[in-house]
Amino acid sequence: MGDYRQAYERSMRDPIGFWRDAAEAIDWVRAPERILDDSAAPIYRWYPDAELNTCFNALDRHVEAGRGEQPALIHDSPVTGVLRSYTYRELRDEVAVFAGALRNLGVERGDRVVIYMAMVPEAVVAMLACARIGAVHSVVFGGFGAKELAARIDDARPTVIVASSCGIEPARVVPYQPMLDAALDLAAHRPSRRIILQRPQHPFALGASDVDWADAVRDQAPVDCVPVAATDPLYLLYTSGTTGRPKGVVRDNGGHAVALRYSMKAVFAAGPGDVFWAASDVGWVVGHSYIVYAPLLTGATTVLYEGKPVGTPDASAFWRVVAQHGVTVMFTAPTAIRAIKKEDPEGTLLGGYDLSTLKCLFLAGERLDPETYAWAGARLGVPVIDNWWQTETGWPIAAGPRGLEELPTRAGSPSFPVPGYRVRVVDGSGEDVPAGADGAIVIGLPLPPGCLPTLWGDDERYVASYLSAFPGNYLTGDGGRFDADGYLYVMGRTDDVINVAGHRLSTGAMEEVLASHPAVAECAVFGVHDDLKGQVPRGLVVLKAGATVDPADLVALVREQIGAVAALRRVDVVAGLPKTRSGKILRGTMRGIADGRDQPVPSTIEDPAVLDALTPVLRGDRV
């Protein structure tokens, strides 16, 4: 067997030994003797008798090992013209001082701190400072609307809120005070204090309970790391798209540190001294895992980019960052690459930059269509690795594990389950389906370290939401299949599988066909109500710059490659698709409008004007 297969089979056969060995990469205050607590199954806890401090593992130990002068964090902000690098020693010192400031305001071990900030180094400092003193941070994406922010404040009940005065985008400044003040008016819980990072682009009018960041850290003595139980929560991260009480995903300290350190080595083939750039936001799980914690736990250099690297000022922004900072591993969403491809289909802008340091491009967050996969690989000349995971898991479920073995990749597939994940594809009764057949993707329990052990304050909801549909398994909510060689194909959320006259059809498969057309830059297919057939698919496509296409040709292409059973009758060419700020296409919102339902526009939408322009199209008017 190859190295990947050996590692995976061992993780299935001997998970205790496998994760005991992986834990040796972490510095423990009290090393684990008991690896897994299954006494409350189906809720499991990893390393229940161990103690550590995540901040120490991310910063202090690298300084103590003699690597204090290595860059830890590069802040690249073209929207403000700021470029700054922090060594491990500098970042540790700033974190230790801010941890003292939090403690002075009454934050103790186990208290929650809500962080509502732009993509600035202080956001990373605040997260690590919470970890340093054993507080639990809950980062809310900067610019989230007041209602969503209020719901998270009420659920987390923070002692302190840390906020920046504004966020900065290429074309505008976004003041945070109106949203933060409105959220606190709506919330039942009142934090005792707010720490405000003043940005010159839009100052914050401080109130009686507010403290200026600069004043909070002035003359503040640094504090040491506080040991916490491995099972203590490190952070809460709320999933998007929920109604009612939000789902607060809990991430523990011990399992999280072990899993992220393992993933950097096994999946991303990144080690100390590498420059890792996850082009995301710290408000999302990718930002938590692969902007902040995983690179720093590894001793790598992480890039924190403020701005939109695609479309403004041009499609070369990605390549400038890679060349300027010597990025070795880049991680972003397929949407970003599709946007670059649309603006620069021939990749001519790549020629202006030395990208020789780049070893690999990882893509995740949405389904990677074969056209984008092929374009990126051909233009960059490096491996393009799809990987699939969720907010709940915190690190990849399936990927091409470059650190274990360089396996061939296949278009449309995130390759194989990562060691630790017992991935299955099952039918409605929970039985495994044969290779090539579609079904629900589930993961056998226990989930590996680093995945959510529960939801904040609600074990019953955790079990009901994730562990009850297929007992003994975690329900991912995604559908897909394995092929005959064991490659996993994730075709989208199971609620995106549509039933047309009794035939279950994958909208992801139709999107794959549409995306293969040389004129198509982006596409979305979703099911809409049909009185006769129950549902029928609708397609929307965005074309590459200067391209034209007859929609009838796209319909014919789907019929040719999937068959008449696909029942796709209509494809519209549109100027843009509505997305959340994290880049996910709002298929559910578009489906609701097309069905004639009142569909509120999510406050996280990137550009509401796009949805407004699409509404008449979705309701039946031709472009």
Side-chain angles (χ1 to χ4, degrees):
M1 293 189 295
D3 291 341
Y4 159 72
R5 181 53 57 185
Q6 290 186 38
Y8 184 78
E9 300 248 342
R10 188 196 170 201
S11 75
M12 297 293 99
R13 182 182 66 255
D14 178 24
I16 302 300
F18 184 89
W19 290 113
R20 185 190 302 277
D21 290 350
E24 293 179 0
I26 298 301
D27 284 2
W28 301 89
V29 175
R30 180 193 301 161
E33 294 184 7
R34 187 179 181 193
I35 304 304
L36 178 65
D37 178 3
D38 60 0
S39 62
I43 294 177
Y44 299 84
R45 307 307 297 264
W46 290 93
Y47 313 114
D49 59 354
E51 290 186 347
L52 76 162
N53 183 276
T54 296
C55 181
F56 178 87
N57 276 275
L59 298 176
D60 300 64
R61 70 167 172 167
H62 303 306
V63 177
E64 293 181 6
R67 303 177 64 243
E69 304 316 309
Q70 177 198 309
L73 174 69
I74 296 171
H75 180 225
D76 189 314
S77 174
V79 292
T80 61
V82 171
L83 179 62
R84 182 177 176 187
S85 178
Y86 296 75
T87 66
Y88 269 95
R89 188 184 310 279
E90 290 169 337
L91 189 57
R92 180 205 61 182
D93 292 348
E94 292 213 15
V95 167
V97 167
F98 191 68
L102 288 174
R103 182 173 286 173
N104 279 349
L105 294 179
V107 179
E108 300 292 342
R109 174 179 170 177
D111 289 343
R112 276 77 61 204
V113 174
V114 164
I115 299 172
Y116 186 66
M117 302 188 78
M119 286 286 283
V120 291
E122 289 83 358
V124 179
V125 168
M127 294 167 72
L128 291 166
C130 290
R132 194 172 190 86
I133 59 175
V136 182
H137 65 70
S138 182
V139 180
V140 179
F141 176 77
F144 239 129
K147 183 178 179 182
E148 289 85 354
L149 178 55
R152 287 151 174 77
I153 290 171
D154 276 342
D155 197 60
R157 301 183 64 81
T159 302
V160 166
I161 292 178
V162 183
S164 53
S165 63
C166 65
I168 301 169
E169 298 180 359
R172 62 175 183 148
V173 173
V174 182
Y176 285 175
Q177 183 160 13
M179 292 178 284
L180 183 56
D181 287 349
L184 291 176
D185 287 341
L186 292 170
H189 175 76
R190 303 291 298 184
S192 61
R193 305 299 290 272
R194 302 189 300 189
I195 301 177
I196 307 300
L197 175 70
Q198 295 283 22
R199 306 191 76 187
Q201 293 82 1
H202 198 288
F204 195 104
L206 300 179
S209 64
D210 298 330
V211 181
D212 187 293
W213 178 297
D215 293 334
V217 299
R218 187 175 294 115
D219 301 323
Q220 174 61 54
V223 299
D224 290 331
C225 297
V226 173
V228 299
T231 54
D232 281 350
L234 170 68
Y235 70 75
L236 311 178
L237 184 58
Y238 290 91
T239 60
S240 58
T242 57
T243 57
R245 183 184 176 191
K247 289 181 181 177
V249 169
V250 174
R251 197 78 67 210
D252 63 12
N253 276 271
H256 172 260
V258 172
L260 291 194
R261 181 66 190 90
Y262 175 78
S263 74
M264 286 289 281
K265 180 180 180 181
V267 176
F268 298 100
D274 277 325
V275 180
F276 196 94
W277 181 28
S280 182
D281 190 286
V282 293
W284 310 119
V285 69
V286 171
H288 280 59
S289 294
Y290 294 106
I291 294 176
V292 182
Y293 286 110
L296 297 179
L297 288 166
T298 298
T301 300
T302 186
V303 177
L304 181 77
Y305 184 93
E306 184 180 27
K308 295 180 180 179
V310 177
T312 49
D314 57 51
S316 66
F318 261 24
W319 318 134
R320 190 272 300 170
V321 172
V322 171
Q324 184 170 349
H325 304 308
V327 172
T328 51
V329 181
M330 186 167 73
F331 184 179
T332 189
T335 291
I337 302 301
R338 284 195 293 267
I340 293 173
K341 178 164 61 81
K342 179 182 177 182
E343 296 298 320
D344 183 27
E346 301 305 316
T348 55
L349 295 172
L350 284 160
Y353 298 93
D354 178 4
L355 306 182
S356 59
T357 60
L358 187 64
K359 297 187 295 186
C360 193
L361 170 65
F362 283 84
L363 298 173
E366 58 184 308
R367 190 168 175 277
L368 173 57
D369 58 281
E371 175 76 11
T372 301
Y373 163 83
W375 184 91
R379 297 299 184 276
L380 291 171
V382 300
V384 176
I385 307 295
D386 190 3
N387 61 117
W388 167 65
W389 47 296
Q390 303 176 325
T391 298
E392 288 87 347
T393 67
W395 62 290
I397 301 169
R402 293 196 73 240
L404 296 175
E405 186 177 354
E406 293 209 22
L407 299 167
T409 57
R410 293 185 180 177
S413 171
S415 297
F416 303 103
V418 171
Y421 288 100
R422 192 182 300 273
V423 179
R424 302 170 59 213
V425 179
V426 300
D427 60 20
S429 63
E431 296 297 321
D432 292 308
V433 301
D438 287 343
I441 303 175
V442 300
I443 304 171
L445 298 178
L447 295 174
C451 297
L452 82 167
T454 189
L455 295 173
W456 176 248
D458 204 339
D459 289 352
E460 290 184 3
R461 189 181 185 192
Y462 170 56
V463 173
S465 298
Y466 297 102
L467 309 182
S468 296
F470 299 96
N473 295 276
Y474 164 86
L475 179 67
T476 69
D478 282 297
R481 63 179 181 269
F482 281 108
D483 71 10
D485 297 318
Y487 283 81
L488 179 67
Y489 289 78
V490 182
M491 304 309 292
R493 300 296 294 176
T494 50
D495 53 9
D496 286 337
V497 173
I498 61 175
N499 192 315
V500 181
H503 298 286
R504 289 177 57 81
L505 301 174
S506 167
T507 56
M510 294 182 226
E511 288 180 356
E512 183 173 312
V513 174
L514 292 177
S516 70
H517 192 283
V520 173
E522 278 191 311
C523 64
V525 176
F526 49 93
V528 297
H529 175 72
D530 182 82
D531 288 337
L532 179 63
K533 297 184 177 181
Q535 283 183 303
V536 293
R538 281 283 305 275
L540 299 177
V541 297
V542 179
L543 301 184
K544 297 174 183 175
T548 60
V549 69
D550 184 346
D553 291 341
L554 298 176
V555 172
L557 186 64
V558 172
R559 288 176 63 89
E560 175 189 329
Q561 296 195 24
I562 296 180
V565 67
L568 182 66
R569 300 284 185 268
R570 178 170 175 187
V571 175
D572 288 303
V573 176
V574 296
L577 298 174
K579 301 170 187 169
T580 66
R581 292 190 178 105
S582 64
K584 292 186 178 179
I585 296 171
L586 291 163
R587 291 173 176 83
T589 299
M590 293 190 291
R591 182 169 56 244
I593 292 173
D595 285 345
R597 297 196 303 267
D598 241 344
Q599 189 75 26
V601 177
S603 63
T604 54
I605 190 172
E606 180 66 34
D607 187 356
V610 173
L611 193 56
D612 290 341
L614 276 175
T615 296
V617 178
L618 294 166
R619 288 183 173 161
D621 298 332
R622 293 286 178 180
V623 176

